[in-house]
Amino acid sequence: MPVSAWGGRWAAVVGALLVTTSPVRAQSPEGLAQPSTRAFLDRYCVTCHNERLRQSGLMLDRLETADSGGAAETWEKVVRKLRTGAMPPQGRPRPDAATYDAVATAIEQALDRVAAASPDPGRMPALRRLSRTEYANAIRDLLGIAHLPKGMDLALLLPADNSRSGFDNLADLLFVSPTVLDGYLNAAREISRLAVGDPGMPLLVDTYRVPSELPQERQLEGFPAGTRGGTRIQTYLPAVGEYRMAIDVSGASREVHGLEVAVDGDRVGLVEISRAHGESYELRLPLTAGPHVITATFVPPSGALSEEPVLRANNRGGSGATAGLLGQRLPALAAITVRGPYGGAGAAETPARRRLFVCRPASDADEAPCARRILSTFVTRAYRRPATSGDLDLLLPFFEEGRQAGGFDAGIQRALERLLVSPQFLFRIEKPTAHASGAPARVSDLELASRLSFFLWSSLPDDELIDVAARGTLRAPGEIDRQVRRMLADPRAAALATNFAAQWLFLRDVETRRPDGGIFADFEEGLRRALLRETELFIGSVFRENRSVLDLLEADYTFLNERLAKHYGIPHVYGSHFRRVALDPAGPRGGLLGQGSILLLTSYPTRTSPVLRGKYVLDNLLGAPPPPPPPDVPALQETGGDGTPLSMREAMERHRVNPVCASCHAQMDPVGFALENFDGLGRWRTTGESGDLIDARSALPDGREVAGATGVRDWLLAQSGAFVQNFTERLLTYALGRDLDHRDMPVVRGIVRGAARDDYAFGSLVLGVVESLPFQMRRSEAARMARE
């Protein structure tokens, strides 16, 4: 559609597009302010909306072409409003979808031309600290220590990282305070001693408490069939020796119950739990150093229950044996404390020692050369670049000091401790470029390798990636594509689901939700874990199988175990293990919005919230968050004047009578109402908290009607471009470790266009991010100083 033919439709689209906090003189990118467009805007700006636009500070009647990129930020806001159909407001004339697309596309093309003529990779700090997650993964990959002992848990040693834009790996948030520095010093000391197997380490005393909300009457995920309750402990023991396990049990029973304890899958003891309440039992076990998985679970009784509980239940009017079993409280595992080692035999071969000690000195004369070889290998991995003589000259005095005090191993431990607090390890450092022209410059191959590994693995580059980068061949034709696909196939790429997606979708907050026990009586820790596990497995499958990211909205499968399947009312799923389960493509469960974790996150402890759910969809999925609420917003009135409970729809309709609230709620509430058939835990229902039948039909601001969860899904798929764009923006933010701004939007659009040819496959979007200007390059110092 030519610009001259937009006529009144253009006015309807542009009218009241956005409100800015400070006056902006809107200047048009080259190609937008053609005479017909200028004439039309002049005509529009004397309409009834002209004064409102002037008050908002957005003066679209003063478009200029002299500065082609001077108002890119304003025009990017216009594009976002157009793409999401957020304006004109409800009740105003609206153009058809083709006109929306034509207007937005014309603006985007003009903005992209301006960006291509003056490429800007954006501001990237020269150094940034590893986040707590990245540090933990780096220790795992350096030393093979995936699970530290509880007393060395990094959540205890290091403070939590700040978060912004949904992510905690943004460079300007990762500063080093005295508290953080002290935490790194303590962590380096403890981890280096654990890795080497220092015989002088203090006795390990770790207590693992079982959450009281975790059900102990049913089989837990990953435990043998027929067992019930228990716990699983993943730890790393420092040395060979005897370890003592104190087992605390709560509850009382009229029967003797067996508690099976296993280490790495092998039974090491069967504890008979007596009838006494709150007893403690102890096992003494010879264990090797290194990683171990300790499990404890109740096994089936060897004989039939006595008749006494059944008879007592019948006397109380119970229903036979079932009432008798439910009437008694089964013993439950409360905690396990691991102490040791006692009589330790010293260091032994462990994954950490195998990775660390790449040589062993045969004599005193061999110690110095061997130490240099060990440290050189380790420095290359830890610093993400080949080791230099300067690196070794700094570490070898620490080796000598430790060797003289306690021998060769002690020397390596002391050097390792120093290495783990080196800025070269704790920080990702990129050398500033010095182009007098101010043109962007490529980052080095080694810097690009680090960007790549921390993006895909949230960890260090492996030996292969470092080797390719050190040879300077990472940018050889086809090499980056090969490395990306290799890395996505690696188990470490699970970080994209557990770190990137978990932050994008707020899945980490599932752990903090506490639904009201009086209303949601069947909620317990096992269900919480199952809800989270379903979403992690689902997202991981989309990423790992290189599926279209649109499957996150419409997939016809999910992952369930028996507990979660019963919660959802899905039959024929048995056992505690999760498996892929096909869903009705026309049903409401498909995609993220049918999963209990998301529905739990967007509910209050006592009820659902159309507002929270609508805002979540607009913000997290479409990237079009509504404005923050004004101060002193009145609370939702949940009862009528006579005290009768109001339905959620009635309560929200009364709330929207306030004009201050109406405009934002008109965007959020319709989406939330359409999801009301899901309760606060994600179960399907037909009546709401007030007992009224749920009406899940809604009219969206653009006039479109949606009916139920399937209607919301269809509506999202109808604007799949906005979803993919938002997904790409989040992915690029995470990959770069910085906030995006209007200058990055042309890059985002280029990535999306490239992935469209592959139906928005996840791998195509990842490769687009890796090959993008801001990922491959950085501003020169001249350009940085000019901007600052």
Side-chain angles (χ1 to χ4, degrees), residues 373-575:
R373 181 181 170 191
I374 289 173
L375 294 178
S376 178
T377 301
F378 209 72
V379 162
T380 297
R381 293 171 179 168
Y383 294 178
R384 288 87 73 184
R385 57 167 176 75
T388 66
S389 58
D391 297 326
L392 300 183
D393 290 343
L394 181 63
L395 294 175
L396 284 171
F398 290 89
F399 164 75
E400 286 296 334
E401 179 184 337
R403 185 183 68 83
Q404 292 175 12
F408 182 80
D409 286 10
I412 295 298
Q413 181 271 319
R414 193 72 59 85
L416 175 59
E417 181 180 347
R418 172 61 180 84
L419 181 149
L420 292 178
V421 294
S422 168
Q424 300 289 333
F425 171 63
L426 292 179
F427 290 85
R428 292 169 54 186
I429 301 173
E430 295 182 356
K431 293 182 180 179
T433 55
H435 279 254
S437 66
R442 283 182 171 184
V443 298
S444 72
D445 277 21
L446 286 166
E447 292 167 347
L448 181 59
S450 281
R451 287 189 177 192
L452 192 56
S453 67
F454 280 101
F455 170 32
L456 301 184
W457 291 345
S458 295
S459 187
L460 312 170
D462 61 2
D463 291 348
E464 176 178 334
L465 188 57
I466 292 175
D467 183 56
V468 169
R471 294 199 310 265
T473 58
L474 184 55
R475 287 188 171 95
E479 185 61 29
I480 285 182
D481 181 275
R482 188 184 75 82
Q483 289 294 336
V484 167
R485 299 193 184 283
R486 176 184 74 86
M487 295 173 74
L488 287 176
D490 190 281
R492 284 169 285 191
L496 287 166
T498 59
N499 197 21
F500 160 67
Q503 294 189 78
W504 162 43
L505 297 171
F506 300 161
L507 296 179
R508 292 179 176 180
D509 292 346
V510 171
E511 297 286 346
T512 67
R513 290 297 189 266
R514 295 289 183 270
D516 187 285
I519 297 173
F520 301 106
D522 60 344
F523 182 80
E524 30 77 13
E525 186 64 24
L527 178 60
R528 183 201 307 280
R529 295 180 181 182
L531 294 173
L532 184 58
R533 185 66 174 150
E534 174 195 19
T535 304
E536 289 177 346
L537 289 171
F538 171 69
I539 295 172
S541 74
V542 173
F543 292 179
R544 186 177 58 256
E545 297 167 19
N546 196 28
R547 301 172 71 94
S548 169
V549 295
L550 294 177
D551 281 5
L552 294 171
L553 301 177
E554 62 170 344
D556 60 356
Y557 70 93
T558 190
F559 292 83
L560 304 174
N561 65 359
E562 182 176 357
R563 172 71 179 94
L564 190 53
K566 287 182 177 179
H567 180 72
Y568 288 162
I570 296 176
H572 312 308
V573 178
Y574 304 105

Side-chain angles (χ1 to χ4, degrees), residues 176-208:
V176 179
S177 66
T179 301
V180 171
L181 181 58
D182 189 55
Y184 279 125
L185 291 171
N186 290 333
R189 181 175 59 254
E190 299 297 331
I191 291 170
S192 62
R193 298 180 74 181
L194 181 68
V196 172
D198 182 0
M201 287 186 69
L203 203 67
L204 189 74
V205 182
D206 287 343
T207 298
Y208 300 86

Side-chain angles (χ1 to χ4, degrees), residues 103-162:
V103 174
T105 300
I107 300 173
E108 289 171 344
Q109 289 174 346
L111 290 166
D112 292 350
R113 285 194 296 271
V114 172
S118 183
D120 180 6
R123 182 185 63 83
M124 289 287 284
L127 74 163
R128 100 177 197 218
R129 176 175 62 81
L130 302 188
S131 71
R132 191 165 69 181
T133 299
E134 292 168 342
Y135 181 89
N137 291 344
I139 295 299
R140 176 200 66 197
D141 295 340
L142 277 173
L143 296 168
I145 303 176
H147 301 280
L148 291 165
K150 193 169 184 66
M152 300 181 194
D153 190 345
L154 293 179
L156 301 175
L157 294 175
L158 301 177
D161 297 312
N162 296 317

